[in-house]
Amino acid sequence: MKLSQNILFNVILLANCVLSSSVETTKPYLFHGLDSNSTKQVVEVKRHLQHFSVDNPYNPNSTRIRNDVQWRDNNGDLLNVGRGGKITKIDGIYYWVGNKPAGKWSAGGDIYLYKSTHLGSNSWQLVRKVFDFDDGQTAANCEIHVNNMYGTTIIHCKTQKMFISYNGIHGDFEKSWYPDPSDLSNDWNWGSNAVYVEGNNMYFAVSRCKKATGDCKDTRMAYIYKLNDAWTGFDETMSVVTEWNWPDR
């Protein structure tokens, strides 16, 4: 276990505490600076690392958040919730969309979906593996939204990935990406993007630029597109809600 994972667990702890003020936490273990000539410090670090292997059995009713153990699901497997995975509360249940750890743009960011009713470190249950990427593909910063009116469930990832289930959160997800709704030519790329929901309407915000010119500095634009009522594509009557120049970004 690398020392940087202690930082990761503390970030997860903070995110969970924001969602629930009733959780119980334990005192975090601190890692001291390493000195290659100091056996005492090396032993101290090894002693702290042992806490990551402490048994933390699954308990669906747990409200306790711990940052001194490995977080595992109901099957005893490590949670794959890295790469900016987000937690969303849907009908009283928390859903966490995460990715298998991988380099920023390297393959391996397979998508996993977990659920919990109490947010405890050991209360997460694996819903399913949403998608298994081939070599050279990846995803990150994913979130889930449910369209109760049409029964569609959307998982959107910042890396220009969209997954749709037509039979609920526990159903099968298929990879999808919507055709460009604008009249821009193909040399306008899709940059950082996000979705947000107001009522039953879903909107897609994205940064775009004419990358074929070699420099996005002067051509950067921001767009907000509206999806159709079922969230299965862009709205054909009013796809572009608004747009504005966004230079020097």
Side-chain angles (χ1 to χ4, degrees):
M1 180 70 69
K2 296 181 180 179
L3 298 186
S4 60
Q5 287 183 293
N6 186 54
I7 300 175
L8 171 63
F9 290 144
N10 278 282
V11 171
I12 294 174
L13 170 63
L14 177 60
N16 279 274
C17 287
V18 169
L19 287 170
S20 174
S21 60
S22 62
V23 295
E24 175 188 352
T25 64
T26 59
K27 181 179 179 180
Y29 288 89
L30 301 177
F31 287 92
H32 303 288
L34 276 177
D35 182 347
S36 59
N37 297 319
S38 173
T39 304
K40 181 178 179 181
Q41 288 185 334
V42 172
V43 171
E44 180 72 6
V45 169
K46 287 184 177 180
R47 184 179 69 82
H48 286 306
L49 287 176
Q50 291 175 356
H51 289 287
F52 287 110
S53 62
V54 172
D55 187 27
N56 193 30
Y58 173 70
N59 177 3
N61 298 316
S62 173
T63 61
R64 186 184 189 192
I65 291 179
R66 298 186 63 180
N67 64 341
D68 59 338
V69 296
Q70 291 178 322
W71 290 27
R72 298 180 181 272
D73 63 17
N74 55 305
N75 299 314
D77 298 320
L78 291 176
L79 294 183
N80 287 299
V81 289
R83 302 172 67 85
K86 297 182 179 179
I87 298 175
T88 304
K89 189 176 183 180
I90 302 173
D91 296 332
I93 299 177
Y94 296 96
Y95 290 90
W96 198 349
V97 187
N99 304 85
K100 188 174 182 179
K104 182 176 181 181
W105 298 115
S106 62
D110 301 334
I111 302 174
Y112 291 80
L113 178 62
Y114 301 89
K115 69 177 182 179
S116 170
T117 55
H118 292 81
L119 289 177
S121 306
N122 55 335
S123 69
W124 292 96
Q125 176 183 344
L126 175 66
V127 175
R128 66 180 300 117
K129 185 176 185 179
V130 175
F131 199 79
D132 189 348
F133 285 101
D134 297 327
D135 290 342
Q137 299 184 38
T138 187
N141 201 3
C142 304
E143 58 186 298
I144 189 170
H145 296 276
V146 174
N147 187 326
N148 292 317
M149 184 175 295
Y150 286 84
T152 48
T153 303
I154 302 293
I155 289 180
H156 168 265
C157 303
K158 185 178 180 181
T159 49
Q160 301 177 32
K161 303 291 191 306
M162 193 84 81
F163 303 87
I164 304 177
S165 169
Y166 296 95
N167 52 351
I169 295 177
H170 294 74
D172 296 323
F173 286 84
E174 60 183 55
K175 186 179 178 183
S176 178
W177 187 249
Y178 309 142
D180 191 341
S182 69
D183 56 1
L184 299 177
S185 59
N186 292 331
D187 55 3
W188 280 77
N189 79 317
W190 294 83
S192 297
N193 52 88
V195 296
Y196 66 95
V197 176
E198 289 185 353
N200 196 61
N201 296 321
M202 176 176 280
Y203 299 91
F204 182 87
V206 61
S207 165
R208 305 190 68 176
C209 72
K210 196 171 183 179
K211 204 166 187 177
T213 62
D215 186 1
C216 290
K217 180 177 180 180
D218 298 324
T219 62
R220 178 78 64 185
M221 296 281 293
Y223 291 85
I224 295 180
Y225 301 115
K226 183 179 182 293
L227 273 62
N228 60 31
D229 291 342
W231 303 352
T232 56
F234 290 108
D235 189 296
E236 295 181 359
T237 60
M238 189 184 68
S239 59
V240 179
V241 176
T242 186
E243 61 183 83
W244 63 92
N245 292 320
W246 205 16
D248 300 322
R249 298 295 297 174

